[in-house]
Amino acid sequence: MDAPRWTALLSGWQSGTGPLYTRLSGHLRGAVALGQLAPGEALPAERALGTLLGVSRSTVVAAYDELVAGGWIIRRRGSGTRVAAGVPRQARALELRSPVRVGAAGGDLDLTVAVPLLSDAQRAELSGAVAGAFTESLYHPLGLPELRAELAALYTREGLPTTPEQIVVTSGAQQAISLIAGALLRPGDAALLETPTYFGAIDVFRAAGATLRGVPVTAQGVLPDDFAAGARAHSPRLAFLTPTFQNPTGAVLPARARQRLAGTVAELGLPTIEDDTLIDLGFGEDAPPPRLACFAPDAPIFNVGSLSKLYWAGLRVGWLRLPGGEGARGLGRVVMQAKTLADFGGGLPTQHLALHLLRHLPRLRAERRAAVTPARDLLAGLLRTELPDWQFTLPQGGQFLWVELPTRSASSFIHGAARRGVRLFPGASMAVGDLPDAYLRLPFTLDPAQLPEAVGRLRAAWHEHQQRGERLA
């Protein structure tokens, strides 16, 4: 059984009223109706699913019985349990890795996503920064001209000469990644990604029909030789890299490794997305090494950025920098056309807010560092005290602790934590290929006042998980 996949598919199945078996059968019925489970697709064995969800086998049997009675699934000796062939056919829907149901219900503490918390002073600043948004009523499909110029100047100051014409403003970094993938990938193409990596990129590339190939992330990021070997073996049409504060591990690729990676990208002419969304989230005073694209300015490298992680996720302003090399300009035209087809431009108020914020970027970075560093240290200290057998390396930037549990059933633990009111995300869902089901990505962006309660709930859920494992052994 693909535990991370079924964990994502059955996220939130316990919500609602009535016996557990009816909630489970209703959730599975909904997955069939939405096209997430296709006719003829196999369902997990009762005992395996019960172990994953932390319920008895009889609960799963009762849920399956109800689905059989309704004609949704069939059971056959020797072939297991499958979705019935006669269920209504739906367009195939992905089991998204992205935890799209953002926002914890009731007293739940949500550790599936990382978003900055706005202070009262920041709210006041935003309220006073949009006056210029109401002086015109024009479409700007590629972004507000002043914002494009500000972003081009920012890249240029940081060692990557850029013109405003190379900037495309998007609705967050996710749209930027989606536009590039949609423009450059066709079903069956290979795509080369870090593993583990950002779940939103995995979903986008899967939706494009690409075959995903992974390059392992080490403590120093992706090894250049591994990347080059993967690129030559699989002939990918697109690659995705996060050299700075890698999501989820926090790794920072050294300058020498960036130079070698950039050389491979340039030599092969491999279109590559360089995800810069976490580049401003360092905890030290020293800047990270230059961007990958700085080492090969003419290579087909698309840089993607956003203000969602630095300042506020609700802003929904991201951007991409198109490669400037002569050979890559055709790729840029295709992506610009894709943006115009997707929409006629983002909201002017939010773009004016982004323009205001970018003009105060050093202050924003300092404020973010001052807010997040204590939260990182608090969460790390709590985990080392309350859950000392959980292993992690303290990152020098980003938003997450990448935690290894002494288990190979982290997905099962996630369901136990949900019963304790903590929402978690399975680290194995961020893998491209095989990754032990032993990891959690824990953000330290939760309100620091809630972190002790969150870790207390995790400790209680972990104790239950261990006891349950001993009973099953």
Side-chain angles (χ1 to χ4, degrees), residues 220-239:
Q220 297 295 311
V222 166
L223 298 180
D225 288 344
D226 289 349
F227 180 85
R232 290 189 170 90
H234 303 300
S235 301
R237 293 287 184 172
L238 184 61

Side-chain angles (χ1 to χ4, degrees), residues 184-211:
L184 303 186
L185 289 175
R186 296 292 178 268
D189 286 348
L192 194 63
L193 300 87
E194 302 158 324
T195 184
T197 191
Y198 170 52
F199 46 68
I202 293 176
D203 281 343
V204 163
F205 289 6
R206 290 169 66 221
T211 300

Side-chain angles (χ1 to χ4, degrees), residues 46-205:
E46 293 107 344
R47 191 177 303 280
L49 186 57
T51 299
L52 176 68
L53 301 180
V55 299
S56 66
R57 177 177 178 272
S58 61
T59 297
V60 180
V61 170
Y64 281 4
D65 285 345
E66 189 168 84
L67 292 169
V68 169
W72 292 90
I73 66 174
I74 58 173
R75 283 185 175 124
R76 287 182 181 161
R77 187 178 298 277
S79 60
T81 304
R82 296 183 177 272
V83 178
V87 299
R89 185 183 298 274
Q90 300 289 337
R92 181 67 170 164
L94 294 177
E95 303 81 31
L96 293 177
R97 310 290 183 98
S98 310
V100 293
R101 292 173 294 279
V102 176
D108 283 359
L109 300 174
D110 192 350
L111 294 175
T112 63
V113 293
V115 292
L117 301 173
L118 283 179
S119 67
D120 290 340
Q122 288 171 322
R123 293 188 185 94
E125 180 179 15
L126 291 177
S127 299
V130 295
F134 308 107
T135 59
E136 61 171 305
S137 298
L138 298 176
Y139 292 126
H140 297 293
L142 302 182
L144 185 72
E146 298 92 328
L147 179 56
R148 296 174 73 195
E150 184 70 26
L151 288 164
L154 172 63
Y155 280 111
T156 301
R157 287 195 304 271
E158 296 183 350
L160 187 57
T162 303
T163 67
E165 291 72 28
Q166 288 176 260
I167 300 297
V168 177
V169 180
T170 60
S171 177
Q174 183 69 15
Q175 187 189 47
I177 296 169
S178 182
L179 289 172
I180 298 167
L184 303 186
L185 289 175
R186 296 292 178 268
D189 286 348
L192 194 63
L193 300 87
E194 302 158 324
T195 184
T197 191
Y198 170 52
F199 46 68
I202 293 176
D203 281 343
V204 163
F205 289 6

Side-chain angles (χ1 to χ4, degrees), residues 242-309:
T242 311
T244 306
F245 309 133
Q246 199 264 348
N247 180 4
T249 66
V252 178
L253 195 67
R256 176 60 179 157
R258 294 178 191 231
Q259 185 177 33
R260 293 180 60 199
L261 270 179
T264 297
V265 169
E267 177 190 347
L268 300 179
L270 171 59
T272 298
I273 298 173
E274 181 177 9
D275 184 353
D276 288 340
T277 53
L278 300 176
I279 200 169
D280 295 310
L281 303 185
F283 299 133
E285 295 296 332
D286 295 334
R291 290 178 171 86
L292 187 71
C294 293
F295 294 97
D298 294 331
I301 298 175
F302 295 82
N303 288 83
V304 170
S306 169
L307 284 170
S308 293
K309 306 305 183 186

